[in-house]
Amino acid sequence: MTSPDAPKTSSSFRGTQVTDDGGGPKILEHSHRLLVVDGPDRGLEVDVQATKLTIGSSSSNDLVLSDTTVSRRHALLAVEGDRYVLRDLDSTNGTVVDGTPVREAYLAPGARVRLGDTEILFQPRKKWERIDVSETDHFGGLYGTTGAMRSVFSLLAKLAPTDLSCIIIGETGTGKELAARAIHEHSPRDGKPFIVVDCGAISENLIESELFGHERGAFTGADRSRTGAFEAAHEGTVFLDEIGELPLELQPKLLRVLERKEVKRLGSTKLLEIDVRVVAATHRDLTQMVKDGKFREDLYYRLAEVVVELPPLRERIADVPVIAARILGEFAHDGPVSQLSGDALDALARRHWPGNVRELRNVLKRAVVLAAGPVLTSRDLAHDATGPLRDAGALARAAAGGAAGVAAPTEINEDLPIKDARDRWVAPMEREYLVRIVKRCGGDLDKAAEEAGIHRKSLERLLRQHGLKAGDFR
């Protein structure tokens, strides 16, 4: 128990909601003063700067109580939008707000919360803090010199040392996993596990086991026990990529794990305490999914303590030279670094880049392999894995009208492995097929997948591989 005279505790930074009023990005910090006014810990006062906090008798809580009638993890207080929400975490003796027993309730400043024999006065505060634009041209594996990226670097640098959950939003290929990994590597959890779960690449009947693990015999085919991502990431970070693809029926289970900091394997009755930071990412509009009932609002707010948006490459074309130089440097193993001529840089600057930095990497990789010398020209960039190097106008015209036919490559490079040669031959036809069928279906991926005779997820994967998305063809 902390005595009433002990110094107040606070973390170095907690916040939510990033905005820009023209003077640069700002982040809203939330501070909660909790004063015990009745019970064994009367006089105990703590200040917690956070968008969420837990109360209970376990030492892992933000407010630790010695009251024996308080459960180990009794209640959770969270910021959800512009409201404060208190949730009872299946406590033994319940939670009461201003005299009314509740499972979940909104709290107003000055509310009195009773847990067991303890009564707590709730006094929230909040303030805006300006974030200076970063002076560096990178953060982790992300590079850029434009103001948009320097603002992102500043926010990531501010966010990384904290334990905040965050959602990284961006199109395919913008570097969401690089951002998540950089957050981990610049946090106190660096050196601990960084576990990646791609929620869009795992079948719905296996994702629960992937996240939480299972015991032998838990279901048909479970011939051995498996450690789930949250258990494996103890004291580290779990990166939930494409969180928007998480099945709706599994979302309450994920929320429970995040709130209680406990996980239970499928087929087991044993609860395991976990200490995990969660970083999620998506290319979807989660706020719209919440409105449409496709994503739980409480889970969104639990994950979106801070939202970081990565701009697409077409909105920061000035970053292409520095990113390209970095990529070419990575390709130089034993020989000199390839250089880009002026006309090559011009060609790259004219491109729409639907696949973003990932597409730029693929274009440069192929150019380095096929180029005649160390200086890459626009001719070396003339063809990539998906056909001619096109600018934004050419891409739009192709999507709008479609070509009468798609020519296969006229040359076969027998120096390539047969798989690479086959991919190079087939890719232009496959890409044009996708453009036409999705356009014909008005961007309706369910209909396009049905007409193509494949599962929707398979269609989405193919679109991502070719740097396409349904919105391009509506």
Side-chain angles (χ1 to χ4, degrees), residues 8 29-37 43-50 53 55 63 77 79 84 86 98 107-113 119-127:
K8 299 180 179 66
E29 289 189 336
H30 288 274
S31 176
H32 310 284
R33 175 168 294 175
L34 302 176
L35 174 62
V36 180
V37 295
L44 174 62
E45 179 182 335
V46 296
D47 279 346
V48 182
Q49 289 179 291
L53 61 91
I55 307 170
L63 175 58
L77 195 157
V79 177
Y84 303 101
L86 183 74
D98 292 332
L107 290 186
R112 289 176 177 256
V113 178
E119 185 170 300
I120 303 165
L121 177 64
F122 171 58
Q123 298 176 313
R125 293 177 297 175
K126 55 187 178 181
K127 68 174 182 177

Side-chain angles (χ1 to χ4, degrees), residues 203-254:
S203 62
E204 292 187 12
N205 61 325
L206 292 178
I207 193 166
E208 185 172 1
S209 171
E210 184 76 20
L211 290 172
F212 311 134
H214 65 256
E215 297 291 353
R216 181 179 179 183
F219 51 84
T220 302
D223 56 354
R224 66 188 67 185
S225 296
R226 176 187 174 88
T227 300
F230 279 87
E231 187 180 347
H234 181 61
E235 297 185 337
T237 302
V238 170
F239 174 50
L240 300 177
D241 197 10
E242 295 302 342
I243 187 66
E245 310 301 325
L246 189 70
L248 191 60
E249 61 272 16
L250 190 57
Q251 293 176 23
K253 296 180 181 180
L254 175 59

Side-chain angles (χ1 to χ4, degrees), residues 352-375:
H352 183 68
W353 298 115
N356 294 290
V357 178
R358 181 179 297 138
E359 183 183 1
L360 174 60
R361 176 180 292 275
N362 291 341
V363 168
L364 293 175
K365 184 176 182 179
R366 181 168 296 275
V368 168
V369 171
L370 301 179
V375 177

Side-chain angles (χ1 to χ4, degrees), residues 84-164:
Y84 303 101
V85 180
L86 183 74
R87 293 193 184 94
D88 182 89
L89 298 178
D90 297 328
S91 66
T92 301
N93 293 312
T95 299
V96 178
V97 175
D98 292 332
T100 303
V102 300
R103 295 280 295 178
E104 180 175 308
Y106 295 124
L107 290 186
R112 289 176 177 256
V113 178
R114 178 166 287 276
L115 313 178
D117 293 333
T118 295
E119 185 170 300
I120 303 165
L121 177 64
F122 171 58
Q123 298 176 313
R125 293 177 297 175
K126 55 187 178 181
K127 68 174 182 177
W128 288 100
E129 177 179 327
R130 184 81 60 186
I131 301 177
D132 295 330
V133 175
S134 174
E135 296 182 359
T136 183
D137 67 351
H138 73 283
F139 186 80
L142 295 172
Y143 282 79
T145 58
T146 56
M149 287 307 293
R150 288 182 185 274
S151 293
V152 169
F153 299 157
S154 294
L155 179 57
L156 293 176
K158 188 79 171 177
L159 168 65
T162 76
D163 227 13
L164 284 169

Side-chain angles (χ1 to χ4, degrees), residues 41 78 91 116 134 165 224 247 275 279 318 322 337 388 425 429 439 463:
D41 302 306
S91 66
S134 174
S165 299
R224 66 188 67 185
D275 172 18
V279 178
V322 68
V337 177
W425 186 279
M429 179 280 296
K439 176 180 177 293
L463 290 172

Side-chain angles (χ1 to χ4, degrees), residues 315-342:
E315 293 181 5
R316 54 185 188 103
I317 288 296
D319 283 337
V320 169
V322 68
I323 297 173
R326 180 72 184 182
I327 292 172
L328 291 175
E330 293 175 5
F331 293 159
H333 301 295
D334 300 317
V337 177
S338 297
Q339 303 294 321
L340 289 164
S341 66

